[in-house]
PDB file of all heavy atoms in Angstrom:
ATOM      1  N   THR A 202     -21.343  13.793   0.021  1.00 60.00           N
ATOM      2  CA  THR A 202     -20.838  13.569  -1.335  1.00 60.00           C
ATOM      3  C   THR A 202     -21.915  13.057  -2.236  1.00 60.00           C
ATOM      4  O   THR A 202     -21.882  13.280  -3.525  1.00 60.00           O
ATOM      5  CB  THR A 202     -19.730  12.551  -1.399  1.00 60.00           C
ATOM      6  OG1 THR A 202     -20.095  11.320  -0.825  1.00 60.00           O
ATOM      7  CG2 THR A 202     -18.465  13.126  -0.602  1.00 60.00           C
ATOM      8  N   SER A 203     -22.982  12.343  -1.733  1.00 59.00           N
ATOM      9  CA  SER A 203     -24.044  11.892  -2.562  1.00 59.00           C
ATOM     10  C   SER A 203     -24.738  13.026  -3.224  1.00 59.00           C
ATOM     11  O   SER A 203     -25.345  12.917  -4.352  1.00 59.00           O
ATOM     12  CB  SER A 203     -25.041  11.049  -1.751  1.00 59.00           C
ATOM     13  OG  SER A 203     -25.622  11.869  -0.702  1.00 59.00           O
ATOM     14  N   LEU A 204     -24.765  14.191  -2.621  1.00 57.00           N
ATOM     15  CA  LEU A 204     -25.421  15.361  -3.163  1.00 57.00           C
ATOM     16  C   LEU A 204     -24.652  15.953  -4.333  1.00 57.00           C
ATOM     17  O   LEU A 204     -25.211  16.800  -5.112  1.00 57.00           O
ATOM     18  CB  LEU A 204     -25.631  16.467  -2.097  1.00 57.00           C
ATOM     19  CG  LEU A 204     -26.395  16.034  -0.829  1.00 57.00           C
ATOM     20  CD1 LEU A 204     -26.419  17.142   0.146  1.00 57.00           C
ATOM     21  CD2 LEU A 204     -27.759  15.552  -1.234  1.00 57.00           C
ATOM     22  N   MET A 205     -23.368  15.566  -4.465  1.00 59.00           N
ATOM     23  CA  MET A 205     -22.576  16.142  -5.497  1.00 59.00           C
ATOM     24  C   MET A 205     -22.502  15.257  -6.727  1.00 59.00           C
ATOM     25  O   MET A 205     -22.029  15.736  -7.827  1.00 59.00           O
ATOM     26  CB  MET A 205     -21.098  16.203  -4.959  1.00 59.00           C
ATOM     27  CG  MET A 205     -20.959  17.071  -3.717  1.00 59.00           C
ATOM     28  SD  MET A 205     -19.336  16.750  -3.007  1.00 59.00           S
ATOM     29  CE  MET A 205     -18.231  17.341  -4.299  1.00 59.00           C
ATOM     30  N   ARG A 206     -22.995  14.015  -6.640  1.00 63.00           N
ATOM     31  CA  ARG A 206     -22.850  13.064  -7.732  1.00 63.00           C
ATOM     32  C   ARG A 206     -23.628  13.498  -8.976  1.00 63.00           C
ATOM     33  O   ARG A 206     -24.833  13.857  -8.905  1.00 63.00           O
ATOM     34  CB  ARG A 206     -23.265  11.646  -7.298  1.00 63.00           C
ATOM     35  CG  ARG A 206     -22.392  11.088  -6.174  1.00 63.00           C
ATOM     36  CD  ARG A 206     -21.033  10.747  -6.716  1.00 63.00           C
ATOM     37  NE  ARG A 206     -20.108  10.332  -5.654  1.00 63.00           N
ATOM     38  CZ  ARG A 206     -19.988   9.080  -5.184  1.00 63.00           C
ATOM     39  NH1 ARG A 206     -20.725   8.166  -5.681  1.00 63.00           N
ATOM     40  NH2 ARG A 206     -19.167   8.862  -4.243  1.00 63.00           N
ATOM     41  N   ASP A 207     -23.014  13.336 -10.155  1.00 65.00           N
ATOM     42  CA  ASP A 207     -23.776  13.545 -11.387  1.00 65.00           C
ATOM     43  C   ASP A 207     -24.657  12.376 -11.553  1.00 65.00           C
ATOM     44  O   ASP A 207     -24.244  11.217 -11.497  1.00 65.00           O
ATOM     45  CB  ASP A 207     -22.764  13.571 -12.504  1.00 65.00           C
ATOM     46  CG  ASP A 207     -23.380  13.986 -13.870  1.00 65.00           C
ATOM     47  OD1 ASP A 207     -24.478  13.482 -14.185  1.00 65.00           O
ATOM     48  OD2 ASP A 207     -22.702  14.746 -14.581  1.00 65.00           O
ATOM     49  N   PRO A 208     -25.935  12.629 -11.776  1.00 60.00           N
ATOM     50  CA  PRO A 208     -26.894  11.482 -11.873  1.00 60.00           C
ATOM     51  C   PRO A 208     -26.633  10.529 -13.076  1.00 60.00           C
ATOM     52  O   PRO A 208     -27.134   9.434 -13.141  1.00 60.00           O
ATOM     53  CB  PRO A 208     -28.263  12.161 -12.093  1.00 60.00           C
ATOM     54  CG  PRO A 208     -27.882  13.578 -12.589  1.00 60.00           C
ATOM     55  CD  PRO A 208     -26.598  13.874 -11.966  1.00 60.00           C
ATOM     56  N   ARG A 209     -25.774  10.925 -13.954  1.00 58.00           N
ATOM     57  CA  ARG A 209     -25.366  10.091 -15.143  1.00 58.00           C
ATOM     58  C   ARG A 209     -24.231   9.186 -14.803  1.00 58.00           C
ATOM     59  O   ARG A 209     -23.816   8.435 -15.657  1.00 58.00           O
ATOM     60  CB  ARG A 209     -24.989  10.975 -16.310  1.00 58.00           C
ATOM     61  CG  ARG A 209     -26.254  11.825 -16.805  1.00 58.00           C
ATOM     62  CD  ARG A 209     -25.753  12.917 -17.780  1.00 58.00           C
ATOM     63  NE  ARG A 209     -24.886  13.909 -17.056  1.00 58.00           N
ATOM     64  CZ  ARG A 209     -24.378  14.962 -17.647  1.00 58.00           C
ATOM     65  NH1 ARG A 209     -24.518  15.169 -18.994  1.00 58.00           N
ATOM     66  NH2 ARG A 209     -23.554  15.731 -16.973  1.00 58.00           N
ATOM     67  N   ALA A 210     -23.676   9.296 -13.582  1.00 66.00           N
ATOM     68  CA  ALA A 210     -22.466   8.561 -13.278  1.00 66.00           C
ATOM     69  C   ALA A 210     -22.716   7.086 -13.194  1.00 66.00           C
ATOM     70  O   ALA A 210     -23.829   6.607 -12.771  1.00 66.00           O
ATOM     71  CB  ALA A 210     -21.878   9.039 -11.917  1.00 66.00           C
ATOM     72  N   VAL A 211     -21.737   6.258 -13.532  1.00 68.00           N
ATOM     73  CA  VAL A 211     -21.834   4.839 -13.444  1.00 68.00           C
ATOM     74  C   VAL A 211     -21.813   4.431 -11.997  1.00 68.00           C
ATOM     75  O   VAL A 211     -21.078   5.047 -11.160  1.00 68.00           O
ATOM     76  CB  VAL A 211     -20.640   4.113 -14.152  1.00 68.00           C
ATOM     77  CG1 VAL A 211     -20.616   2.630 -13.943  1.00 68.00           C
ATOM     78  CG2 VAL A 211     -20.714   4.474 -15.700  1.00 68.00           C
ATOM     79  N   PRO A 212     -22.631   3.522 -11.562  1.00 71.00           N
ATOM     80  CA  PRO A 212     -22.624   3.103 -10.105  1.00 71.00           C
ATOM     81  C   PRO A 212     -21.210   2.715  -9.620  1.00 71.00           C
ATOM     82  O   PRO A 212     -20.461   2.115 -10.354  1.00 71.00           O
ATOM     83  CB  PRO A 212     -23.567   1.896 -10.059  1.00 71.00           C
ATOM     84  CG  PRO A 212     -24.492   2.142 -11.262  1.00 71.00           C
ATOM     85  CD  PRO A 212     -23.622   2.757 -12.297  1.00 71.00           C
ATOM     86  N   ASP A 213     -20.951   2.927  -8.317  1.00 70.00           N
ATOM     87  CA  ASP A 213     -19.587   2.647  -7.819  1.00 70.00           C
ATOM     88  C   ASP A 213     -19.294   1.146  -7.797  1.00 70.00           C
ATOM     89  O   ASP A 213     -18.112   0.775  -7.859  1.00 70.00           O
ATOM     90  CB  ASP A 213     -19.547   3.150  -6.353  1.00 70.00           C
ATOM     91  CG  ASP A 213     -19.412   4.690  -6.305  1.00 70.00           C
ATOM     92  OD1 ASP A 213     -19.135   5.269  -7.369  1.00 70.00           O
ATOM     93  OD2 ASP A 213     -19.696   5.263  -5.192  1.00 70.00           O
ATOM     94  N   ASP A 214     -20.329   0.299  -7.753  1.00 77.00           N
ATOM     95  CA  ASP A 214     -20.044  -1.067  -7.615  1.00 77.00           C
ATOM     96  C   ASP A 214     -20.118  -1.810  -8.929  1.00 77.00           C
ATOM     97  O   ASP A 214     -20.220  -3.060  -8.983  1.00 77.00           O
ATOM     98  CB  ASP A 214     -21.047  -1.794  -6.609  1.00 77.00           C
ATOM     99  CG  ASP A 214     -22.484  -1.606  -7.082  1.00 77.00           C
ATOM    100  OD1 ASP A 214     -22.690  -0.917  -8.059  1.00 77.00           O
ATOM    101  OD2 ASP A 214     -23.398  -2.072  -6.356  1.00 77.00           O
TER     102      ASP A 214
END
Side-chain angles (χ1 to χ4, degrees):
T202 59
S203 61
L204 303 176
M205 304 165 60
R206 296 291 172 88
D207 189 319
R209 297 166 295 181
V211 174
D213 287 344
D214 59 357

